[in-house]
């Protein structure tokens, strides 16, 4: 696949950054933030400072033409990649490489910073992998959309519950070295949607995909699918088993608004209590007859 170069005639996307303390979720004021191209990390493009709410101004950044993300036959990278470096007094420095900026939409980078341990100089670095519609990821392993709930000893919730938090295992289920993350349900859905669809798509297309992601996730919650197999998490970040979730990745305003609108909804069959395990594929890199496609 070809890579977008900034010398091409660009469109513009937007970026807004929100900083909070990991301990008390208080906003972090007067943090110093530098923005650079991920391919040229030492050349600063923008320097920002957070206000009393822990937020920066919304800035414009070059991005590939919007058509790149709307044309399903396009093989050019539809987003530009930036590195965000953050320093704040009393907190560990943090660097996020690969923040994705799409044309015409606002990328929202939420960052939770760890208080600095005295006499240390710590720096956390996160590298955001390629978007699932652009990179190469394992195809979903087919499962039944309605799980049988008749096995002896099975743990199943008595009703569908919208959780406040879920536990995300950042790897395949059997990878015991992968880290577990406690993530707010809505934040998880926003992260997955931003990782698996493009925020430039029409509103109703985004809405349909978000609904599918939520229904799949709530099926895992309702059936306690992984806990019933002896694991201590709700869902994984492996595309072979679940959806792609990426620590510290940016989300988008167009997706965030729709998740806030639909967060308590899911898909179900008549006379079936559990949410449908709504599996889908991109319809281009992976073909999946009789499944939903996101393109």
């Amino acid at each position: 696949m070809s890579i977008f170069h900034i010398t091409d005639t660009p469109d513009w996307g937007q970026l807004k950054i929100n900083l909070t303390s990991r301990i008390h979720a208080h906003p972090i004021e007067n943090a110093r933030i530098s923005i650079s191209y991920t391919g040229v990390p030492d050349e600063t493009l923008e320097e920002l400072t957070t206000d009393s709410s822990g937020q920066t101004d919304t800035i414009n950044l070059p991005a590939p033409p919007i058509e790149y993300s709307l044309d399903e036959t396009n093989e050019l990278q539809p987003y530009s990649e930036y590195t965000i470096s953050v320093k704040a007094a009393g907190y560990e420095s943090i660097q996020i490489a690969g923040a994705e900026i799409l044309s015409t939409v606002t990328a929202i980078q939420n960052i939770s910073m760890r208080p600095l341990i005295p006499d240390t100089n710590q720096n956390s670095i996160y590298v955001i992998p390629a978007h699932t519609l652009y990179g190469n990821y394992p195809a979903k392993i087919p499962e039944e959309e309605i799980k049988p709930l008749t096995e002896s000893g099975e743990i199943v919730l008595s009703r569908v519950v919208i959780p406040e938090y879920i536990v995300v295992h950042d790897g395949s289920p059997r990878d015991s070295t992968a880290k577990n993350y406690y993530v707010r349900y809505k934040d998880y859905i926003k992260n997955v949607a931003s990782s698996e669809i493009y925020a430039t798509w029409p509103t109703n297309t985004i809405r349909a995909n978000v609904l599918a992601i939520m229904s799949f996730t709530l099926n895992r919650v309702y059936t306690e699918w992984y806990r019933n197999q002896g694991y201590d998490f709700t869902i994984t970040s492996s595309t072979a088993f679940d959806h792609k979730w990426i620590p510290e990745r940016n989300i988008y305003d167009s997706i965030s608004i729709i998740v806030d609108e639909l967060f308590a909804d899911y898909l179900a069959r008549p006379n079936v209590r559990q949410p449908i395990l709504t599996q889908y594929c991109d319809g281009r890199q992976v073909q999946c007859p009789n499944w939903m496609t996101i393109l």
Side-chain angles (χ1 to χ4, degrees), residues 34-55:
S34 63
I35 311 293
S36 61
Y37 298 127
T38 294
V40 194
D42 295 329
E43 295 185 11
T44 300
L45 300 172
E46 298 276 355
E47 292 185 336
L48 306 170
T49 303
T50 53
D51 60 19
S52 60
S53 299
Q55 300 180 336

Side-chain angles (χ1 to χ4, degrees), residues 145-273:
E145 68 174 24
I146 302 296
K147 298 297 186 184
L149 304 178
T150 57
E151 296 181 14
S152 174
E154 191 153 6
I155 304 171
V156 179
L157 297 178
S158 61
R159 59 187 175 87
V160 177
V161 174
I162 309 300
E164 183 177 1
Y165 286 89
I166 62 174
V167 181
V168 184
H169 185 70
D170 193 20
S172 66
R174 299 179 189 87
D175 182 0
S176 60
T177 65
K179 184 177 179 180
N180 288 349
Y181 291 83
Y182 284 77
V183 185
R184 288 186 183 274
Y185 171 73
K186 285 204 294 186
D187 292 341
Y188 169 81
I189 300 298
K190 292 175 183 181
N191 184 303
V192 167
S194 297
S195 301
E196 298 212 336
I197 66 176
Y198 290 138
T200 54
W201 289 357
T203 298
N204 283 340
T205 305
I206 295 175
R207 185 175 285 113
N209 281 274
V210 165
L211 189 58
I213 293 167
M214 292 193 301
S215 186
F216 185 105
T217 304
L218 289 175
N219 181 281
R220 292 294 198 227
V221 172
Y222 177 80
T223 61
E224 299 205 331
W225 181 249
Y226 288 110
R227 295 187 187 280
N228 189 51
Q229 299 175 57
Y231 297 113
D232 60 350
F233 48 83
T234 313
I235 202 163
T236 78
S237 67
S238 169
T239 58
F241 297 89
D242 299 294
H243 293 130
K244 190 60 183 174
W245 176 86
I246 302 169
E248 302 299 333
R249 75 148 294 133
N250 62 279
I251 62 171
Y252 299 93
D253 59 346
S254 56
I255 288 174
S256 180
I257 290 168
I258 289 172
V259 172
D260 288 341
E261 169 196 334
L262 299 177
F263 81 97
D265 295 343
Y266 58 90
L267 299 171
R269 299 287 186 193
N271 302 316
V272 178
R273 188 165 51 188

Side-chain angles (χ1 to χ4, degrees), residues 20-32:
T20 56
S21 169
R22 183 162 295 188
I23 300 299
H24 302 294
H26 293 160
I28 300 175
E29 185 178 7
N30 295 323
R32 292 173 291 126

